[in-house]
Amino acid sequence: MSEAYLRFWGVRGSYAAPHETHLGVGGNTSCVELRAGDHLLVCDGGTGIISLGEELVQADELHEMLVVFTHYHWDHICGLPFFQPAFSPDWRIEFFGPGDTAADIERRLSDQMKAPYFPVETETWMADINYVEPHDDGMRHGPFEIRHFNVHHPGVTYGYRVRIADKTVVYVSDNEVQFLKTSIAKRIHEFEEDEHELLERMVSEQRSAELAAIENVDILIHDAQYTPHDYSKKRGWGHSCYVDTVNLAIDAGVGCLYLYHHDPTYNDDQVAAIHRDCLQIIAERKSSMECHIAREGLKVRL
Amino acid sequence: MHNAKPIIVLVDDSDAMRTLFEQVAREADFELHAYASAEASLTFLDSNRPNLLVINVMMPNKDGYSLLKQLRANPLHQDTPTVMISSKDYAQDRVAARELGVLEFVAKPISKKALRSLIAHYVDGGGAPRN
Ligand SMILES: [Zn+2]
Ligand SMILES: [Zn+2]
């Protein structure tokens, strides 16, 4: 197999932030390209997918890809109506995301292009488009082995575990970790003393599930949207505080963590400060985990 | 049928939640069927309509919404009284649950006391203590 890599095309959460002060990190919303030779897997179709599409059409090398969606919130699908390969008859594109059937996936992706929200509907897509029928055993796309799992975010939201080139990459763009633990802490007064043991079991069950999804993976791309101060105001919005993300990744034995889904209000300096703090936590915990900021344009060899 | 105990079905991958329901069932007058996954509950639910169905949202394979959607398509479960329970507590999940015709969306954790009154509220005779 020739070169395998991943590349970040969009790293912002919630909405695009194309401000001068933010461009060191990048202003586009969620989109990650995973490439292995002639095979292409794309995670999410935020505004980042627009430039990816332009590059793919220009390069005119590949004509097939699989695009997987974590969920259908705008920041993850809003680049799709401007995704050039979909409008080109040269392409064969498969789409997958949450839903019980391929028809569910199609409906959810198409609805954003319906009138009066968009001038053309998916009927104008010229590519050979297919929606992948979900099944529990996961998917294969060329050399990629792909599994999805449920994560903690409003509605049904997936994380993806991808095996490629002897590496495991996990993509979890939106996930509020440790939520049950803090719910219990806030409401502990509702419980009798003899219920505490069961509550502790619930917390440890949730922790085990969170860890199992990312255990010992080589690369984890994970929601690290908020500072502790902002998280205290935005608990229950479906995103993690970076302190929880970095600690979860260390506990799971992750090789390399990419801080992702940056808050659109944070400029480059603020994201850099988050990164510095993560490195300090890693050092204090004497962990050997690598940790980087997911930056738009960053290419990582696999 | 009039002296049969009410049946409550719980579908939740959390072992601790199933224990909690078992503890409450032991002191109340209902029959509990607890399953660790949507898939495992289907054999029973395919042909039995419980007095109350309690479904967790996030589970490893089939999620709670998907299970309930499947059940609602079965005439037997068109209006089976159902409560959704979840570690999630987001408005969007409350809406998704409501669209599937649930009686209530309960955010975890739930105390024994709250669980007892939930059951007493929705199940006739289900909350009566055994003597
Ligand atoms: Zn998002
Ligand atoms: Zn989202």
Side-chain angles (χ1 to χ4, degrees):
Chain A
M1 189 197 308
S2 51
E3 191 186 31
Y5 63 81
L6 75 80
R7 185 154 39 155
F8 294 101
W9 289 88
V11 297
R12 285 284 159 190
S14 309
Y15 55 89
H19 323 300
E20 206 179 358
T21 49
H22 290 46
L23 296 182
V25 171
N28 282 301
T29 67
S30 298
C31 181
V32 176
E33 171 195 10
L34 284 151
R35 183 82 169 257
D38 292 339
H39 296 275
L40 172 59
L41 169 68
V42 179
C43 298
D44 277 332
T47 61
I49 205 172
I50 302 169
S51 314
L52 168 62
E54 284 163 6
E55 193 188 273
L56 289 170
V57 167
Q58 201 132 48
D60 198 26
E61 291 165 4
L62 305 184
H63 296 97
E64 239 181 87
M65 74 177 107
L66 168 64
V67 185
V68 297
F69 295 88
T70 51
H71 60 314
Y72 306 101
H73 287 166
W74 273 349
D75 51 323
H76 298 260
I77 62 166
C78 66
L80 207 53
F82 307 96
F83 187 46
Q84 282 190 16
F87 294 90
S88 157
D90 300 340
W91 280 84
R92 184 187 149 78
I93 307 173
E94 291 186 297
F95 289 123
F96 180 79
D100 290 328
T101 61
D104 279 348
I105 300 167
E106 175 169 13
R107 185 166 28 79
R108 288 163 187 183
L109 286 174
S110 313
D111 278 1
Q112 68 164 337
M113 288 175 71
K114 286 205 157 63
Y117 304 106
F118 202 70
V120 296
E121 303 202 1
T122 50
E123 281 70 24
T124 56
W125 281 352
M126 305 283 283
D128 176 10
I129 307 270
N130 290 280
Y131 298 87
V132 180
E133 199 63 51
H135 50 96
D136 295 341
D137 310 329
M139 292 175 286
R140 276 205 79 108
H141 178 70
F144 294 102
E145 285 170 44
I146 307 148
R147 285 187 158 276
H148 64 267
F149 54 94
N150 292 311
V151 298
H152 205 283
H153 192 66
V156 178
T157 302
Y158 290 167
Y160 288 95
R161 189 182 179 99
V162 180
R163 184 86 191 143
I164 183 68
D166 298 325
K167 294 250 166 59
T168 304
V169 178
V170 170
Y171 175 73
V172 180
S173 61
D174 300 51
N175 187 28
E176 188 164 7
V177 301
Q178 299 274 66
F179 192 79
L180 180 60
K181 184 179 176 179
T182 48
S183 300
I184 288 173
K186 276 170 177 283
R187 293 172 46 198
I188 194 71
H189 59 275
E190 295 172 25
F191 294 82
E192 305 286 339
E193 199 69 43
D194 66 355
E195 293 179 88
H196 288 192
E197 192 239 311
L198 262 187
L199 292 173
E200 276 161 33
R201 266 171 63 192
M202 282 175 205
V203 171
S204 84
E205 282 171 354
Q206 195 193 35
R207 190 63 172 172
S208 307
E210 284 174 350
L211 290 170
I214 60 169
E215 197 141 48
N216 298 321
V217 303
D218 299 289
I219 292 176
L220 173 65
I221 300 163
H222 198 286
D223 185 337
Q225 184 154 345
Y226 297 128
T227 60
H229 177 260
D230 285 350
Y231 184 70
S232 70
K233 292 181 289 182
K234 290 175 175 173
R235 181 184 179 273
W237 286 36
H239 300 291
S240 291
C241 168
Y242 69 80
V243 176
D244 296 328
T245 300
V246 75
N247 280 311
L248 176 73
I250 294 170
D251 291 347
V254 165
C256 180
L257 169 67
Y258 284 90
L259 306 169
Y260 193 67
H261 208 272
H262 308 297
D263 193 84
T265 67
Y266 297 170
N267 63 27
D268 292 339
D269 293 344
Q270 287 167 294
V271 177
I274 287 175
H275 183 227
R276 274 196 305 278
D277 199 31
C278 286
L279 294 179
Q280 179 152 5
I281 293 168
I282 293 166
E284 278 165 9
R285 293 197 53 190
K286 298 183 173 34
S287 160
S288 59
M289 183 176 77
E290 275 185 51
C291 174
H292 304 283
I293 299 168
R295 286 178 199 279
E296 197 172 311
L298 176 67
K299 191 168 168 178
V300 180
R301 268 172 221 300
L302 297 173
Chain B
M1 284 296 282
H2 58 274
N3 51 14
K5 285 183 187 182
I7 293 174
I8 296 179
V9 167
L10 169 69
V11 187
D12 195 328
D13 59 311
S14 160
D15 192 61
M17 280 301 291
R18 297 196 306 279
T19 304
L20 172 69
F21 272 69
E22 278 154 20
Q23 288 176 356
V24 170
R26 232 172 278 141
E27 58 194 49
D29 216 10
F30 66 84
E31 186 179 316
L32 176 71
H33 295 247
Y35 300 96
S37 70
E39 292 79 1
S41 71
L42 284 170
T43 317
F44 181 79
L45 290 172
D46 273 345
S47 49
N48 295 279
R49 183 183 187 277
N51 300 74
L52 183 67
L53 178 57
V54 182
I55 303 177
N56 181 36
V57 173
M58 266 174 74
M59 292 187 283
N61 293 311
K62 192 191 256 306
D63 63 71
Y65 300 131
S66 177
L67 171 64
L68 186 54
K69 216 177 289 171
Q70 182 178 342
L71 292 174
R72 290 292 192 227
N74 175 350
L76 183 65
H77 292 298
Q78 244 164 26
D79 49 12
T80 300
T82 305
V83 168
M84 281 299 224
I85 189 160
S86 181
S87 64
K88 298 205 281 181
D89 189 7
Y90 303 121
Q92 200 161 90
D93 285 280
R94 291 177 185 275
V95 171
R98 199 186 313 136
E99 281 170 359
L100 288 165
V102 310
L103 299 166
E104 205 172 316
F105 182 97
V106 177
K108 291 181 185 180
I110 182 168
S111 66
K112 266 187 207 169
K113 193 173 153 210
L115 180 56
R116 278 189 213 109
S117 58
L118 182 94
I119 290 167
H121 188 70
Y122 292 120
V123 182
D124 278 343
R130 203 178 276 174
N131 41 20

